[in-house]
Amino acid sequence: MFSKDTYIKRRKELKELVGSGVIIIFGNNESPCNFPNNGYAPFRQDSSFLYYFGQNRDGLVGVIDVDNDIETLIGDDIDIEDIVWYGSVDSVHDMAEQVGIQNTAPMKSLKTICNNAMSKKRKIHFLPPYRWDIKLQIFDLLGIHPNQQKEEASLTLIQAVVKMRSTKSAEEIEELERAAVIGYKMHTTAMRLTRPGLTEKYVAGQVDGIANSYGAMVSFPTIFTQHGEIMHGNPSMNILQEGRLALCDAGAETINNYCSDNTRTMPVSGKFTQRQLEIYSIVEACHDYTLEVAKPGVKYADVHFAVCRLMFDKLKELGLAKGDTEEAVRAGAHAMFLPHGLGHMMGMDVHDMENLDQINVGFDEEVRPNLEQFGTNCLRMGRRLQEGFVVTDEPGIYFIPALIDDWKAKGHCAEFLNFDKLETYKDFGGIRIEDDVLITKDGCRFIGKDRIPYHPKDVEEFMGKE
């Protein structure tokens, strides 16, 4: 947790931004794994609840009566049977005091609070729910069917939360730096372990263990695969093979629930082949180019397309692409190689605030998403950058056999792609390099004091160490 004053100030700003009504921010409940008393571990609190109320216990709800300036932490104290099994915990009253809240009430009182507000036709603000137990609770409290709750969620509250959580404070940046330290340990562990004969699952399991040992948990399920062309490839029991590339996309979450997110691609043998090096060097150049162009006031969509143009120019040099680069990118030909966006917001969630809908987080009234064009429709972040934003920089080049076949059969972007040459890359896989970027006053910088090796010689040298 941060200091009491941090949470008091956050709630004060939230009240000013929302203006009136009753704000209800639901914390998460314990989620059963395969039977009721075997919950997923560790428990993960809702990020917006953590941001404003700071407490990491299940079964809590924060209520802010904006008009009357009354803040209440809702929740039931645990009973003696729970104490026997899990140990003593702070009372709801104690937890409220720790974050500067004077009022507490049992969970059954939430229905009365909602009924009173509705009887007076006061606006009740809630965020879009993403867990079914919370959806059912909202149905019980407000009578809004789960299928309608996303549309009925308060846009005023969503916009206020996005405005506040998008810009990271100094103490939040410190937490992100701590997450980067754990992320460094995770990725360098993967590099040290990767060699022919081990399974993907074994390496990924060791990577996960680092996150669990030094922080709260992984920030998302670890991706470790020789099929780097699969965006979210789960680690399998496949054995690492000489001559293949292994892609590791992994991150840590600190005890205070701030995340890291990095990707590295490494040769299983410890040495890149010439063909691998040619593609890798393009991704490396695109990754580094982001540092030159990303700064306050620049649209991240423009950074994305600047990277796409650089990538396409270099792919033309290898004979994989052809034609006018501007026209090719405008037509979406680059998505054959990069079918996702350059990056996304990062913070307490690895895709920060994604539950609030990406159109509200990564876009605004000025910059709207293009949902029609393949690849471009996957941009998660397009709006103008501001000092204090944290975004990922994750260019990649992927050779997806099914996509190559599909576009070739349709003749899609045939004037910009050399399909005969692409056929010879169907066994290549994919390469991605990813780091977390803090937007500063005059430009940007990577988060993390120690850089996970990514320049080809550094990767080979690191993997060659005993």
Side-chain angles (χ1 to χ4, degrees), residues 1-2 7 42-47 50-51 54-57 171-172 174-183 186 209-219 251-260 347-348:
M1 287 177 63
F2 296 127
Y7 300 104
F43 168 73
R44 180 51 159 91
Q45 184 60 281
D46 175 79
S47 294
L50 280 172
Y51 188 83
Q55 294 294 350
N56 207 11
R57 205 206 82 176
E171 58 189 354
E172 289 182 286
E174 287 178 12
E175 278 298 319
L176 291 166
E177 294 284 359
R178 292 186 185 101
V181 171
I182 306 171
M186 294 168 74
I210 297 294
N212 295 336
S213 299
Y214 290 94
M217 57 192 293
V218 293
S219 53
E253 189 171 302
T254 68
I255 292 297
N256 286 324
N257 305 106
Y258 283 80
C259 299
S260 70
M348 296 183 80

Side-chain angles (χ1 to χ4, degrees), residues 62-330:
V63 177
I64 302 173
D65 184 329
V66 180
D67 306 297
N68 298 303
D69 197 19
I70 298 172
E71 301 173 347
T72 307
L73 185 64
I74 306 285
D76 298 326
D77 288 322
I78 67 170
D79 59 27
I80 190 64
E81 288 193 12
D82 285 329
I83 290 173
V84 167
W85 287 100
Y86 301 109
S88 296
V89 297
D90 291 335
S91 68
V92 176
H93 176 77
D94 290 339
M95 288 190 289
E97 281 196 336
Q98 290 163 11
V99 294
I101 293 175
Q102 296 181 353
N103 304 292
T104 62
M107 188 59 68
K108 65 181 181 182
S109 68
L110 187 56
K111 180 69 171 173
T112 302
I113 292 171
C114 290
N115 285 343
N116 287 340
M118 288 189 292
S119 69
K120 297 174 183 177
K121 300 191 182 319
R122 300 179 65 198
K123 174 68 175 178
I124 297 178
H125 304 272
F126 64 90
L127 297 172
Y130 52 91
R131 289 191 173 191
W132 280 104
D133 55 335
I134 302 300
K135 291 183 179 185
L136 290 173
Q137 189 175 10
I138 292 173
F139 189 27
D140 179 59
L141 292 169
L142 306 179
I144 304 171
H145 192 278
N147 291 343
Q148 300 171 322
Q149 289 171 11
K150 182 178 178 181
E151 290 72 25
E152 292 294 325
S154 169
L155 184 58
T156 301
L157 179 58
I158 290 169
Q159 291 173 337
V161 172
V162 170
K163 177 180 175 61
M164 292 180 65
R165 286 183 55 189
S166 292
T167 304
K168 306 304 186 286
S169 66
E171 58 189 354
E172 289 182 286
I173 294 167
E174 287 178 12
E175 278 298 319
L176 291 166
E177 294 284 359
R178 292 186 185 101
V181 171
I182 306 171
Y184 177 87
K185 294 178 186 292
M186 294 168 74
H187 280 273
T188 52
T189 295
M191 284 185 177
R192 288 195 178 97
L193 287 174
T194 296
R195 62 181 182 275
L198 296 177
T199 66
E200 294 174 359
K201 263 211 175 286
Y202 177 80
V203 178
Q206 301 303 305
V207 168
D208 287 355
I210 297 294
N212 295 336
S213 299
Y214 290 94
M217 57 192 293
V218 293
S219 53
F220 58 95
T222 294
I223 298 165
F224 186 87
T225 177
Q226 294 171 102
H227 283 283
E229 76 279 9
I230 301 173
M231 301 299 111
H232 289 169
N234 293 324
S236 71
M237 291 302 293
N238 290 337
I239 294 172
L240 299 178
Q241 297 177 356
E242 188 90 19
R244 298 289 294 276
L245 292 169
L247 185 150
C248 181
D249 188 344
E253 189 171 302
T254 68
I255 292 297
N256 286 324
N257 305 106
Y258 283 80
C259 299
S260 70
D261 183 7
N262 303 95
T263 305
R264 293 294 185 266
T265 309
M266 64 208 85
V268 172
S269 64
K271 294 285 185 181
F272 290 102
T273 67
Q274 181 58 35
R275 188 170 76 150
Q276 289 168 350
L277 190 59
E278 288 171 350
I279 301 298
Y280 189 99
S281 297
I282 297 175
V283 180
E284 174 194 17
C286 292
H287 170 271
D288 290 354
Y289 185 53
T290 299
L291 282 184
E292 297 180 31
V293 292
K295 59 185 177 181
V298 173
K299 298 175 186 175
Y300 209 52
D302 290 343
V303 180
H304 167 83
F305 287 113
V307 164
C308 291
R309 288 191 289 270
L310 174 64
M311 179 182 295
F312 205 83
D313 279 339
K314 290 183 175 295
L315 287 166
K316 287 197 296 186
E317 294 173 10
L318 294 180
L320 286 160
K322 59 186 178 180
D324 181 80
T325 295
E326 288 290 343
E327 290 183 13
V329 171
R330 195 176 301 116

Side-chain angles (χ1 to χ4, degrees), residues 416-427:
F416 303 116
L417 300 170
N418 287 323
F419 285 108
D420 289 344
K421 188 74 177 280
L422 280 168
E423 285 285 337
T424 67
Y425 278 76
K426 281 185 174 180
D427 62 346

